[in-house]
Amino acid sequence: MKPVHTLEEYQDLLDQNPLVLTYITGTNCGVCSSVKPKIREILADFPDITALEINAHQDRELAAQLSVFTIPAVLVSVQGREHIREARYFSLEELRRRIDRLVALFSSAASPQPATSYPEGTPATPEIPTR
């Protein structure tokens, strides 16, 4: 996980990476320390996700600018827009399912769909019978 210390740095990373998971932790947070390896396990299944880490105790202003007032917290953004926000008490399995669904939706939206082809001589717009 790449440490982030300023809002400008965070925004630049969101702009540069289409899929971003941000883990907000704290220096003396026991729960944060035990959840972090599990977040890494989840991330191992999603290699396209860029992982960022913010220490809310060291970078209080940044955490406040992101409206994170309790830790641990996880934010998942797609193309710079936040789609998932979990904090304090959350299910890691549910988080995994939500990320999986989000990545699947992003992947299907990112890959262009082939144009529908019609056999030669078939009108692109079907004729509607009149009475």
Side-chain angles (χ1 to χ4, degrees):
M1 290 185 197
K2 177 180 175 29
V4 180
H5 303 285
T6 67
L7 185 60
E8 295 77 24
E9 181 183 10
Y10 181 71
Q11 200 59 54
D12 287 345
L13 289 164
L14 284 182
D15 293 342
Q16 295 166 10
N17 300 285
L19 295 165
V20 176
L21 180 143
T22 306
Y23 183 63
I24 296 102
T25 185
T27 306
N28 297 320
C29 174
V31 174
C32 300
S33 298
S34 66
V35 170
K36 186 176 179 177
K38 295 172 183 172
I39 296 293
R40 284 191 172 142
E41 286 177 23
I42 292 171
L43 287 168
D45 293 337
F46 302 99
D48 293 337
I49 295 179
T50 301
L52 308 178
E53 182 175 358
I54 297 169
N55 186 312
H57 293 148
Q58 293 174 358
D59 300 305
R60 291 174 194 257
E61 187 175 328
L62 175 56
Q65 288 169 325
L66 297 176
S67 298
V68 174
F69 302 104
T70 186
I71 53 174
V74 176
L75 312 178
V76 181
S77 302
V78 176
Q79 295 179 335
R81 294 187 62 197
E82 184 181 309
H83 287 269
I84 298 172
R85 176 179 285 249
E86 295 290 343
R88 193 176 235 169
Y89 304 112
F90 56 92
S91 163
L92 291 165
E93 284 306 311
E94 180 62 24
L95 177 64
R96 179 187 296 273
R97 280 193 291 276
R98 292 180 69 196
I99 291 171
D100 187 43
R101 182 168 181 258
L102 190 62
V103 168
L105 288 171
F106 173 73
S107 298
S108 66
S111 61
Q113 299 298 319
T116 305
S117 60
Y118 297 97
E120 193 171 320
T122 305
T125 308
E127 292 182 28
I128 300 173
T130 58
R131 293 185 182 196

